[in-house]
Amino acid sequence: GEDLAEFIEFYDPNIYLYNSSVAENILFGDPLDNAFNAGNLSLNEIFNEVLAEAAFKELLLDSGFSFIEELIRFSDHRSSDEEILKLGLIDPEEIDDYKMLWYKVKKKGIQKVSSKGHNKILRLMLGFIPQKHHFFHFSKKLENQILEGRVLFKEKITAAAPDAISFYQTSNYMHTQSILTNIFFGKLKEESSAAQEKVNTCINQLLIKEHFLKDIIEMGMHYPVGTKGDNLSGGQRQKLAIARIFLKKPPVMIMDEATSGLDNDSQARIQNLLETHWKGKSTLIAVVHRLDIIENYDRVAVMKDGKIIEMGTYDELMDKQGVLRELVDGKK
């Protein structure tokens, strides 16, 4: 826990999770019934009973109105629809609808807006994630009431629909979550390669210590990758292709930007493997654009317009003060 606290927000029923949405904080579990999905939650009868009993529906609506105001301001200062999509809240074309809703609330007051308008505000507010949507901040009072609502919601749902939610508990396996999440029981604070690398290293050490690594690897080997690897990311497909080549131990390897989809740490590991394990065993012809990985190649060829204009060792070409030297100096 101490090793990963910088990278993971551990699930704790007594604290607010800043890397999770308002809906996820109230549910504190994964919906098994579609009626409790984030998109349907504002219309859910049990959920609305909890809002009424915990007396914070008005507070959620007021915060939601302020959230809409900041979202409109955010969109007005962004020229790209891509940045709106990255928020994971609405489609860019919905902005005009929210502007109209904001104008109605401003003119009539939030209590005189239709139930449809209330649902729209609630649905947006339920998707708010503090660590992701930095342009908006909500009150500590609402945060505390959400924690109270979390307890009340669990009581209500356990009595009314016990199979609707898979609540987060250390004693139960979370079937809707990955094996990795089940082990560290929390959510990554960031999706960076550095964070993922640190978490993976710690988890691997744990699996080795608990004599469980072999079982996990065997499970992974049976993972259905889909047609042409559709179930894998671009980086995973590249790693798989490289592993396949390494297993065949070919006398000649041709790699065309073979690690372009990988994070820096993965690229460095594969490059180190090529320079140590494969040196003297196989001829490697590599097409690269990253100039920081070519120093240890026996020969470097610089191409322009389909023709080789320079060739030699890395040191020879750097001393020559030619095109490679200009490219390397230009990258610094």
Side-chain angles (χ1 to χ4, degrees):
E2 290 179 5
D3 291 340
L4 298 181
E6 180 185 349
F7 305 103
I8 294 173
E9 185 173 57
F10 298 106
Y11 292 143
D12 185 331
N14 301 310
I15 65 170
Y16 192 90
L17 306 172
Y18 295 102
N19 292 274
S20 296
S21 68
V22 171
E24 290 170 325
N25 266 282
I26 298 173
L27 265 60
F28 199 67
D30 294 316
L32 302 178
D33 183 335
N34 191 49
F36 292 89
N37 286 343
N40 301 322
L41 207 53
S42 62
L43 298 170
N44 187 284
E45 186 178 338
I46 297 175
F47 180 74
N48 276 283
E49 284 179 13
V50 170
L51 292 187
E53 228 173 292
F56 73 101
K57 185 171 184 177
E58 290 74 18
L59 198 54
L60 262 180
L61 287 171
D62 287 338
S63 295
F65 172 68
S66 299
F67 189 29
I68 290 174
E69 196 169 33
E70 293 302 321
L71 179 61
I72 292 169
R73 190 173 287 119
F74 178 89
S75 69
D76 287 344
H77 286 82
R78 297 294 190 278
S79 57
S80 170
D81 288 348
E82 189 178 338
E83 292 197 66
I84 304 297
L85 286 170
K86 279 182 182 176
L87 297 176
L89 291 165
I90 60 171
D91 291 324
E93 56 266 25
E94 291 183 272
I95 283 291
D96 288 339
D97 291 339
Y98 278 98
K99 284 182 177 179
M100 288 178 63
L101 179 58
W102 177 86
Y103 180 75
K104 285 180 183 177
V105 174
K106 196 75 174 173
K107 187 177 180 181
K108 298 179 181 179
I110 202 160
Q111 295 306 324
K112 293 187 178 180
V113 173
S114 67
S115 58
K116 186 178 179 182
H118 281 183
N119 286 331
K120 201 174 180 73
I121 295 171
L122 276 178
R123 191 164 61 248
L124 183 71
M125 192 61 207
L126 288 171
F128 170 64
I129 303 172
Q131 286 296 92
K132 184 175 182 180
H133 307 130
H134 302 287
F135 57 88
F136 179 73
H137 301 279
F138 69 1
S139 67
K140 196 71 178 176
K141 181 180 178 183
L142 178 57
E143 185 180 306
N144 291 332
Q145 286 196 277
I146 287 172
L147 290 177
E148 291 175 14
R150 178 189 290 173
V151 176
L152 187 58
F153 180 79
K154 186 174 181 179
E155 291 173 359
K156 286 268 186 187
I157 199 65
T158 302
D163 297 324
I165 304 287
S166 174
F167 292 106
Y168 298 149
Q169 299 179 83
T170 53
S171 58
N172 293 343
Y173 187 87
M174 300 178 291
H175 294 279
T176 51
Q177 301 275 348
S178 68
I179 291 175
L180 188 65
T181 303
N182 268 278
I183 294 173
F184 61 63
F185 196 65
K187 181 177 284 191
L188 278 172
K189 293 180 180 179
E190 54 178 299
E191 297 295 332
S192 71
S193 58
Q196 189 69 62
E197 188 71 23
K198 176 68 175 178
V199 171
N200 287 344
T201 299
C202 285
I203 295 299
N204 284 341
Q205 290 172 352
L206 174 68
L207 293 175
I208 292 168
K209 182 181 177 183
E210 298 297 326
H211 308 291
F212 195 51
L213 184 61
K214 182 182 175 183
D215 296 309
I216 293 291
I217 290 173
E218 286 178 357
M219 289 167 64
M221 290 297 182
H222 292 288
Y223 177 74
V225 300
T227 305
K228 296 182 180 179
D230 285 345
N231 294 342
L232 301 175
S233 68
Q236 288 172 329
R237 285 197 291 270
Q238 282 192 321
K239 285 181 179 179
L240 192 59
I242 292 169
R244 182 186 295 156
I245 294 298
F246 285 172
L247 282 170
K248 290 187 176 183
K249 301 179 181 178
V252 178
M253 289 190 285
I254 301 175
M255 304 180 79
D256 184 2
E257 291 289 337
T259 59
S260 60
L262 306 183
D263 58 84
N264 291 337
D265 290 331
S266 295
Q267 288 191 43
R269 282 200 305 273
I270 291 172
Q271 190 61 36
N272 182 61
L273 195 61
L274 289 168
E275 293 175 5
T276 54
H277 181 76
W278 290 97
K279 194 169 183 68
K281 297 179 182 179
S282 181
T283 298
L284 170 64
I285 301 170
V287 179
V288 301
H289 284 103
R290 284 190 54 174
L291 301 179
D292 58 332
I293 65 172
I294 64 173
E295 293 185 34
N296 295 323
Y297 280 82
D298 298 314
R299 303 281 286 174
V300 177
V302 182
M303 297 188 71
K304 185 176 181 181
D305 298 327
K307 295 180 180 179
I308 295 175
I309 58 174
E310 283 186 348
M311 182 182 280
T313 66
Y314 179 83
D315 290 337
E316 286 172 351
L317 295 183
M318 290 298 285
D319 291 340
K320 186 180 176 183
Q321 305 272 326
V323 178
L324 180 66
R325 182 59 180 262
E326 288 180 15
L327 289 170
V328 172
D329 289 346
K331 291 286 184 182
K332 291 179 179 178

